[in-house]
Amino acid sequence: MADLKALADAVIKGDQNTAMEITKAALAEGTAPKSVLDDGLIAGMDVIGARFKKNEVYIPEVLIAARAMKMAMEILEPELAKAGVEPVGRFLIGTVQGDLHDIGKNLVAMMLKGAGFEVIDLGVDVGAEKFVEQVKTAGVHVVGMSALLTTTMPGMEKTLKALRDADVAAKIIVGGAPVTQDYADKIGADGYAPDAASAVDVAKSLVA
């Protein structure tokens, strides 16, 4: 049988080639796609997430691990679809209007994919209307907004108000360097995450 622990280790090390080889081999042997996802890819990203929170690894290691996971996911996704495996939830993410920062957002998106979410990434400088329109058309469960400047933080409040006015059911998480739990509470967000690994935990708790 394919060694899914070795697959998790390949993700942790960021070894793309090994991750892809084990994924292919596991599927060829008839291992359930969901098992490859849960016991291989997600298990590896969980370890990276936990280490990242404890400052045992840093953003470069996380990005390398996420890239290895992404390459393996490209092989796995068609098989998950065929097997009818549903994502944990659908997550819409974007950096708010006027803000062009995307490293944190990209990290969160990668780690959410690594936790089994389907992620729709709107990119940077996203206006409130675009968030609302996408939430309505894509059947999104959770919306994540990022801001890296104090000057663009009001864009979060504006977007959040627009989403509430549009009466969407999606939960809303905010994050980014200047954002605090107090600010999230003040604008009425459903969740706040200080880092990418925490964002995954918050998202999971909101869709549970």
Side-chain angles (χ1 to χ4, degrees):
M1 280 302 288
D3 186 351
L4 296 179
K5 187 173 182 315
L7 178 53
D9 287 342
V11 169
I12 293 164
K13 290 188 189 107
D15 182 346
Q16 291 178 40
N17 293 340
T18 304
M20 289 162 73
E21 276 164 24
I22 297 174
T23 301
K24 282 179 188 157
L27 293 170
E29 284 173 13
T31 307
K34 178 108 174 63
S35 180
V36 178
L37 178 67
D38 292 346
D39 305 329
L41 302 180
I42 291 180
M45 284 309 285
D46 278 350
V47 171
I48 283 286
R51 288 183 185 171
F52 181 62
K53 273 195 201 161
K54 292 187 204 148
N55 292 325
E56 289 169 11
V57 296
Y58 298 97
I59 287 176
E61 288 95 333
V62 177
L63 290 173
I64 294 164
R67 201 164 295 134
M69 181 212 78
K70 180 170 178 272
M71 300 305 286
M73 271 305 278
E74 283 174 9
I75 297 161
L76 191 58
E77 264 171 349
E79 300 305 320
L80 286 168
K82 269 188 230 163
V85 176
E86 291 287 321
V88 179
R90 199 170 284 131
F91 196 106
L92 180 76
I93 193 165
T95 303
V96 294
Q97 199 156 19
D99 203 319
L100 301 174
H101 292 86
D102 69 354
I103 291 177
K105 170 188 69 63
N106 293 350
L107 200 56
V108 172
M110 283 178 178
M111 294 193 81
L112 283 163
K113 282 181 190 160
F117 279 86
E118 179 187 331
V119 179
I120 302 160
D121 188 346
L122 296 180
V124 299
D125 192 19
V126 184
E129 300 72 27
K130 189 163 184 195
F131 272 106
V132 172
E133 178 196 318
Q134 283 291 329
V135 170
K136 285 186 158 175
T137 53
V140 172
H141 303 107
V142 189
V143 177
M145 286 187 270
S146 164
L148 261 283
L149 304 166
T150 47
T151 50
T152 55
M153 280 167 64
M156 284 184 166
E157 190 167 7
K158 184 184 169 197
T159 304
L160 203 134
K161 185 177 183 313
L163 286 164
R164 297 277 190 246
D165 289 348
D167 208 23
V168 299
K171 302 288 188 190
I172 299 157
I173 301 179
V174 295
V179 182
T180 60
Q181 181 69 59
D182 283 351
Y183 182 73
D185 294 342
K186 187 182 129 215
I187 65 172
D190 298 298
Y192 158 72
D195 58 64
S198 306
V200 173
D201 295 339
V202 175
K204 280 185 187 161
S205 69
L206 289 175
V207 295

